[in-house]
Amino acid sequence: MATGQIPEGAIYKFLSLRKVGWLPQIYSSGILANDFLGYRLDYLLMEDCGKIIDHHCLDMFRNMSGIHSAYTDITNVISQTVACLAEAANAGVLHRDISAGNITIRDGQIRVIDWGCAKLLNTNLPGIKEVASEWGFDLDEIKENDKACNGIIGTPAFMSIRVLLGHPTRCLIDDIESLFYVVLQALSYYSHGSSLFAEPQVSKNTLAALAKVGLVANRESYLRILGIKKCPDNVKVQLDTLRQLLFCRDNQFIGGELIENQSETRIIYLNLMRRLMGNELFERVCRVPAGSSNA
């Protein structure tokens, strides 16, 4: 990792201090070399988190007896990942690279992993200076480096529409939009195997963003467009709720607004967050960052 980035182990340490859930247990982590040809060498030893979610669903869908369990797992992925991302954002951290390879499941337990692209929302967060001192990185340097690359971090197939268009600001709702695409990919395996969502070689991110706007424009057809022929009602309710949170305001589709506006104008509606997480997880997370609404 380049010396101007936050070590992933430091992010885990900070999130652990802030008691963020749904993270892997870290057995050991630390720095091997502070500057080796311009790179920091660090190590991270964590628990076995199981399979990444798309591999898990692909295996379950191949086994017809596992289909019901796969759909149950998907509902848990949605509720628990949203809760994890919201807790992390409350603590002052954005993941920025939610993808099919960064959400895992083992024995029904969901883990959100690979926080190596994470962003600190504030360099004055409680406890962050102590973590920076322990891990030997400069918060001001991190802040300046992050400004230069904020818009290009992530996995293109799962990036939010605004990120693909190069907007300079990121927020919680961009991470949640990436989760939406991860779940759609996992569901697509039931009908298409592993080929439908092969990551495109995007030459123009604008084209990819426009394609995503077209994909989610129609509430009645976005699953059908992807060839998702079967989707249980409870999974469909969660997906529709994600779509409403991400792409609608006052029940009106705002895809064109996402493409045209330079600033983030979406609102995190607390009633939709409660619907996604369920009452128990919602009450645990409780606080949602500024820009939220009870409407």
Side-chain angles (χ1 to χ4, degrees):
M1 175 177 288
T3 55
Q5 295 178 263
I6 305 177
E8 186 178 3
I11 291 292
Y12 280 122
K13 177 66 177 290
F14 177 70
L15 292 176
S16 176
L17 291 173
R18 301 301 296 273
K19 301 188 183 306
V20 173
W22 302 279
L23 302 177
Q25 181 179 353
I26 306 300
Y27 298 129
S28 181
S29 62
I31 302 169
L32 297 175
N34 275 315
D35 190 346
F36 179 74
L37 302 178
Y39 288 85
R40 179 192 294 109
L41 301 181
D42 50 83
Y43 71 94
L44 190 63
L45 180 63
M46 67 173 67
E47 67 172 318
D48 179 0
C49 296
K51 294 181 179 179
I52 59 177
I53 191 61
D54 61 342
H55 289 180
H56 171 77
C57 287
L58 183 58
D59 289 344
M60 297 291 278
F61 286 143
R62 284 171 174 163
N63 176 8
M64 296 302 290
S65 63
I67 290 177
H68 177 74
S69 295
Y71 288 130
T72 299
D73 290 338
I74 285 174
T75 64
N76 289 333
V77 164
I78 292 173
S79 60
Q80 294 178 36
T81 304
V82 170
C84 174
L85 296 174
E87 279 199 345
N90 283 336
V93 177
L94 297 178
H95 189 286
R96 292 198 299 183
D97 191 23
I98 292 296
S99 68
N102 293 341
I103 301 171
T104 68
I105 183 168
R106 182 185 183 192
D107 299 328
Q109 300 297 310
I110 306 301
R111 295 288 184 266
V112 180
I113 64 171
D114 197 359
W115 292 75
C117 294
K119 172 185 175 67
L120 294 176
L121 296 174
N122 190 323
T123 55
N124 294 314
L125 298 166
I128 191 60
K129 291 183 179 178
E130 291 76 8
V131 173
S133 176
E134 177 184 346
W135 280 82
F137 61 87
D138 184 275
L139 287 169
D140 291 332
E141 182 184 5
I142 295 294
K143 183 176 180 180
E144 290 304 312
N145 287 345
D146 195 73
K147 287 180 180 179
C149 63
N150 185 43
I152 61 174
I153 290 175
T155 304
F158 303 101
M159 284 180 177
S160 73
I161 291 168
R162 294 184 67 261
V163 171
L164 282 169
L165 289 170
H167 293 302
T169 58
R170 302 278 284 263
C171 61
L172 169 61
I173 207 160
D174 292 304
D175 280 349
I176 296 176
E177 185 177 339
S178 294
L179 170 65
F180 180 70
Y181 302 130
V182 168
V183 173
L184 290 180
Q185 169 168 299
L187 286 171
S188 74
Y189 290 160
Y190 181 76
S191 300
H192 298 277
S194 61
S195 61
L196 178 64
F197 256 72
E199 184 175 335
Q201 298 299 312
V202 181
S203 58
K204 294 290 185 180
N205 284 343
T206 299
L207 294 179
L210 289 169
K212 286 181 175 178
V213 168
L215 168 69
V216 300
N218 191 315
R219 178 178 179 271
E220 302 302 323
S221 63
Y222 69 94
L223 293 179
R224 189 169 65 250
I225 289 172
L226 280 170
I228 298 173
K229 300 174 183 178
K230 183 177 180 180
C231 184
D233 290 343
N234 59 335
V235 178
K236 180 66 159 58
V237 166
Q238 283 188 302
L239 287 171
D240 286 346
T241 302
L242 279 171
R243 179 188 173 276
Q244 184 177 355
L245 173 70
L246 296 167
F247 307 114
C248 297
R249 186 187 306 114
D250 298 326
N251 293 319
Q252 297 296 314
F253 184 66
I254 59 169
E257 183 178 311
L258 294 178
I259 291 173
E260 293 177 2
N261 286 355
Q262 292 293 316
S263 59
E264 177 62 85
T265 60
R266 292 178 287 185
I267 297 172
I268 295 177
Y269 291 102
L270 299 187
N271 64 320
L272 297 180
M273 295 290 279
R274 181 185 290 273
R275 195 185 306 170
L276 287 169
M277 287 186 260
N279 289 330
E280 183 178 349
L281 293 184
F282 180 83
E283 294 301 331
R284 166 179 166 165
V285 174
C286 191
R287 295 182 303 107
V288 175
S292 61
S293 170
N294 282 298

